[in-house]
Amino acid sequence: MMGSLVRGLQNIGDSALRIIERIGAVVLFLGQILGHSAPSFRRFSLVIREMYYAGVQSLIIILVSGLFVGMVLGLQGFETLQSYGSSESVGVLVALSLMRELGPVVSALLFASRAGSAMTAEIGLMKATEQLSAMEMMAVNPLARVVAPRFWGGVFSLPLLAVLFGAMGIIGGFLVTVVMLGVDSGAFWSQMQAAVDFRHDVVNGMIKSLVFGVAVSAIATFEGFEAPPTAEGVSGATTRTVVSSSLAILALDLLLTAFMMKGWN
Amino acid sequence: MTGIAERPGTHQVEISDLNFGYGERPVLKGINLTVPKGGLVAIMGLSGCGKTTLLRLMGGQLQARQGSVRVAGQELNGMTEGQLYAMRRQVGMLFQFGALFTDLSVFDNVAFQMREHTSLSESMIRDLVLMKLNAVGLRGVQGLMPSELSGGMARRVALARATALDPSLILYDEPFTGLDPISLGVIGRLIRELNDALGATSVLVTHDVQESMKIVDYIYFVSDGVIIAQGTPEEIRTSHLPFVHQFVWGEADGPLPFHYPGLPLPRDFGLSAAGG
Ligand SMILES: Nc1ncnc2c1ncn2[C@@H]1O[C@H](COP(=O)(O)OP(=O)(O)OP(=O)(O)O)[C@@H](O)[C@H]1O
Ligand SMILES: [Mg+2]
C-alpha cells in the first residue's frame, strides 16, 4: 500500500523531470538554431521556400477554420447579447475574441498539426535516410541548411496566418449576424472599430502568434532532428510534435495573457 | 606485403591502433591502416564487420575511442566542428544507400556543393553538372527526382554528387551493389579514372572481390574488428591464407563465420531443452 503510493509519487516525479529535461533540450536546440541562422538571412530564398511549404500550404485549412470559428462566435454571441438587448455589440465580441485569443491560439494549433508535423516528418526522414549525414560530409551544416530555414519559415508564417484567420473570422461573424440574423451593419462595424485597440488587441495578438511560431517551429525541428532514424522513430516524433506543441501553445497563452493583462492596468 | 608506400608523410589517410564501438560492444579493435596519396585501396570484409564504421571515422562523423585517425596529416580526434567542416571540403563520400536529397532534383543534387561552396555562375554549374552526370551515364535523368530513379541509378547519381567538387579523398561505401554488369564495369573504371585524373586518393569498401581486384592497388581484409590480411590484388589472388582464399572464392566453409555470433542452433530452436 505504502509502496505503491511511493512508486506512484516516484513515477509522477520521474515524468515531471523528463518533461523539464525535454523543455531544456528544446531551449538548447533553439539556441543552436539561432547560432546557425546567419546563412538563412544571407540567402533568404531558403526561408521563402520554407514559408511556402509551411505557410501557403496551411492557407486553406486556416481560412476555412477561421470562417467557421467566426460564424460560431457570431451565433453564440448573438444568442447571449440579444437577451441583454445589445445584439449590435456582437461585432465587438467577435473581433476581440479573435484578436486576443482565438486567432493566435487556434491558428497556432492548426499550424502545429498541419505544418509542424510535416516539418518533423521531413527532417526525421532526411536523418533516417542519411541525407543529413551526407550533407555533413559535404561540409554543409544541416543545422544551418536544413533546420534554420524551416524554423524561420515557420516563425514568419504563423503571425501572417493568424491575421488571415482573424480576418476570415470577422467575415464569418459578419455573414452570420448581419447578413443572416439582421444585425445592423453600421453598428456592427462602428462598435467594433471603437472597441478594438491597435496596441492592446492587434499588437498583443501578433506578439502571441510570434511566440507560438517560435515554440512550434523549435519543437517541430527539434523532434525531427533528434528522432531515432527508423520508421517508428519518425512517426513517434511526429506525434510528439503535435502533442507537445499544443500543450506549449496553451501554456504560453496563459502566461502571455496574464502578463498582457497586467500591462493593461 | 610491402607493395604500398611506407614512406612517411605521403599518406592521405593514416589510422593507427584505432578502437571504436557503439555502446558497450566493440566494433573495431586495433586497426592499423594507411592509404598513400594517389592510391586506390579497398577494404573488404563480411557484412557487419565495421567497414561503414571505418569510413565514417575517416570522415570525422564518429570519434575514435582510442588510437588516431589522420587525414592529410591532420589528426581528426579532438578537432573542433569548424576544423572538421574545413577538412570535409576535401573529402567526397558515396553513402551505402545513396542518401540523395529527396527534395532536390538529380541536377540540383549534383549541383548542391557547387552552390554551397563556390561562387560559380549558373551556366558554369550547368556545364559541370552535365559533365559529372555524363560520366556516370545519366545525363538524361537530370530533371528527375530521386524517387523516380532505380536503386542502381540513384547510386550512380550519388557517385556523381560525391565527386562534384573534385575532392582529394574519395570514400566509396559499396559503389557496386545493385549495378548491372555493364554499369559495374563502367563504374569500376570510372572510379579508377577519377582517382588518376584528379590525383585523388580513394578508399573503396566493397564485397565485390572480382571487380575491385581489377582496379585497386591494395586490399585490406577486416574480420572481427581487426585487419586479418592485406596485400596487392596479385598477392591476394595467390594467397594461401585460408580466410583470404575463402573470401575471394566465396566459400561458405572456412575460418570466416557466415553466422553472426549467437546461441548454438539447437538451443535457439529449443531442441536441447526437448532432448534434456
Ligand atoms: N548506429 C549504430 N548503433 C549501434 N550499432 C551499430 C550502428 N551502426 C552499426 N552498428 C553495428 O556495428 C557493426 C558494424 O556496422 P557497419 O555498418 O560498419 O558494418 P559494415 O561492415 O558496413 O556492414 P555491411 O557490409 O553490411 O554494410 C554492426 O555489427 C552493426 O550492428
Ligand atoms: Mg556498410
Side-chain angles (χ1 to χ4, degrees):
Chain A
M1 179 63 211
M2 213 34 208
S4 68
L5 195 66
V6 170
R7 227 170 307 120
L9 280 176
Q10 264 173 353
N11 284 344
I12 294 176
D14 268 359
S15 5
L17 280 181
R18 235 174 303 125
I19 291 171
I20 293 173
E21 199 179 306
R22 201 118 189 116
I23 295 176
V26 173
V27 172
L28 285 181
F29 188 71
L30 178 60
Q32 274 185 304
I33 296 178
L34 296 181
H36 287 96
S37 285
S40 301
F41 290 93
R42 233 178 293 127
R43 279 165 67 189
F44 204 67
S45 59
L46 291 177
V47 178
I48 302 274
R49 184 186 142 110
E50 300 309 329
M51 281 178 78
Y52 172 76
Y53 285 115
V56 177
Q57 303 204 336
S58 312
L59 257 185
I60 296 290
I61 186 171
I62 291 281
L63 294 181
V64 173
S65 312
L67 192 68
F68 283 137
V69 168
M71 287 172 144
V72 171
L73 274 177
L75 269 180
Q76 292 278 10
F78 182 80
E79 257 301 277
T80 314
L81 291 173
Q82 200 182 28
S83 56
Y84 299 103
S86 55
S87 56
E88 319 78 54
S89 306
V90 70
V92 178
L93 183 122
V94 168
L96 285 184
S97 335
L98 282 168
M99 293 291 156
R100 289 185 185 170
E101 287 299 333
L102 290 173
V105 172
V106 178
S107 61
L109 291 173
L110 291 171
F111 183 78
S113 40
R114 171 66 182 79
S117 60
M119 244 186 245
T120 304
E122 195 190 9
I123 297 177
L125 271 178
M126 287 182 84
K127 182 180 178 193
T129 53
E130 297 197 311
Q131 294 179 46
L132 298 185
S133 281
M135 195 175 278
E136 249 177 45
M137 280 308 298
M138 292 185 222
V140 176
N141 193 329
L143 270 175
R145 182 61 174 70
V146 173
V147 173
R150 282 170 176 72
F151 171 81
W152 287 111
V155 169
F156 294 142
S157 300
L158 186 50
L160 300 177
L161 291 172
V163 168
L164 291 174
F165 184 96
M168 282 310 280
I170 290 172
I171 293 175
F174 175 82
L175 287 179
V176 166
T177 56
V178 177
V179 177
M180 289 165 62
L181 298 173
V183 172
D184 180 59
S185 160
F188 181 91
W189 291 117
S190 63
Q191 291 207 15
M192 187 192 297
Q193 278 180 19
V196 173
D197 181 83
F198 183 72
R199 166 75 191 74
H200 286 159
D201 302 320
V202 181
V203 172
N204 277 347
M206 294 291 284
I207 292 175
K208 277 186 179 179
S209 63
L210 199 67
V211 173
F212 298 158
V214 171
V216 173
S217 307
I219 291 173
T221 50
F222 171 81
E223 289 291 351
F225 204 70
E226 298 294 327
T230 59
E232 308 91 73
V234 175
S235 74
T238 311
T239 311
R240 271 200 306 280
T241 291
V242 177
V243 175
S244 350
S245 313
S246 306
L247 289 177
I249 290 164
L250 297 172
L252 284 169
D253 185 49
L254 178 64
L255 266 180
L256 287 171
T257 307
F259 275 118
M260 288 170 176
M261 294 226 167
K262 203 140 196 248
W264 291 345
N265 300 327
Chain B
M1 296 205 181
T2 49
I4 201 149
E6 307 246 310
R7 296 179 301 274
T10 58
H11 296 307
Q12 185 71 18
V13 179
E14 282 181 278
I15 293 179
S16 57
D17 212 17
L18 170 72
N19 283 278
F20 181 83
Y22 295 100
E24 291 293 297
R25 203 161 54 86
V27 174
L28 302 173
K29 312 167 202 164
I31 298 272
N32 285 291
L33 167 161
T34 52
V35 184
K37 277 208 172 77
L40 172 43
V41 167
I43 297 173
M44 295 185 190
L46 298 182
S47 190
C49 72
K51 303 179 298 294
T52 300
T53 307
L54 195 51
L55 283 192
R56 284 184 183 278
L57 282 154
M58 291 183 198
Q61 292 203 308
L62 298 172
Q63 293 277 310
R65 291 254 173 95
Q66 258 173 49
S68 89
V69 180
R70 300 169 84 78
V71 172
Q74 290 173 294
E75 172 64 50
L76 299 193
N77 243 341
M79 266 193 182
T80 63
E81 193 180 79
Q83 289 170 319
L84 269 179
Y85 275 106
M87 181 276 294
R88 288 185 188 138
R89 286 195 182 211
Q90 302 298 316
V91 180
M93 180 157 171
L94 174 68
F95 278 71
Q96 189 164 0
F97 302 104
L100 292 177
F101 300 132
T102 40
D103 58 338
L104 299 179
S105 69
V106 165
F107 183 96
D108 292 332
N109 261 282
V110 181
F112 185 81
Q113 292 182 83
M114 303 176 188
R115 292 189 176 135
E116 294 292 326
H117 292 316
T118 72
S119 47
L120 296 173
S121 68
E122 271 305 304
S123 71
M124 190 86 137
I125 288 179
R126 196 186 123 81
D127 292 348
L128 283 173
V129 170
L130 293 187
M131 252 168 57
K132 294 287 174 190
L133 282 174
N134 200 38
V136 295
L138 289 177
R139 195 164 31 87
V141 302
Q142 50 170 306
L144 296 187
M145 295 305 282
S147 57
E148 297 169 302
L149 302 177
S150 75
M153 286 159 86
R155 192 70 55 88
R156 281 148 73 192
V157 172
L159 180 64
R161 186 181 67 171
T163 57
L165 284 188
D166 300 344
S168 58
L169 172 64
I170 316 180
L171 310 171
Y172 300 96
D173 199 349
E174 318 260 9
F176 299 133
T177 35
L179 297 185
D180 60 83
I182 299 172
S183 330
L184 193 95
V186 174
I187 296 297
R189 255 171 284 136
L190 179 69
I191 288 175
R192 182 77 242 184
E193 280 165 21
L194 279 172
N195 193 75
D196 299 347
L198 302 176
T201 307
S202 316
V203 180
L204 178 66
V205 161
T206 176
H207 294 298
D208 198 312
V209 186
Q210 303 309 330
E211 191 59 38
S212 51
M213 291 262 237
K214 290 184 206 155
I215 57 169
V216 302
D217 302 325
Y218 203 77
I219 299 173
Y220 287 96
F221 280 94
V222 180
S223 174
D224 201 20
V226 291
I227 290 184
I228 52 167
Q230 51 183 297
T232 61
E234 203 43 49
E235 288 167 342
I236 294 295
R237 200 172 288 121
T238 56
S239 168
H240 294 296
L241 289 171
F243 41 76
V244 175
H245 190 83
Q246 186 199 352
F247 197 93
V248 173
W249 303 106
E251 291 155 359
D253 295 316
L256 294 176
F258 163 67
H259 292 285
Y260 193 90
L263 294 174
L265 186 67
R267 264 234 263 149
D268 250 358
F269 285 105
L271 294 181
S272 56

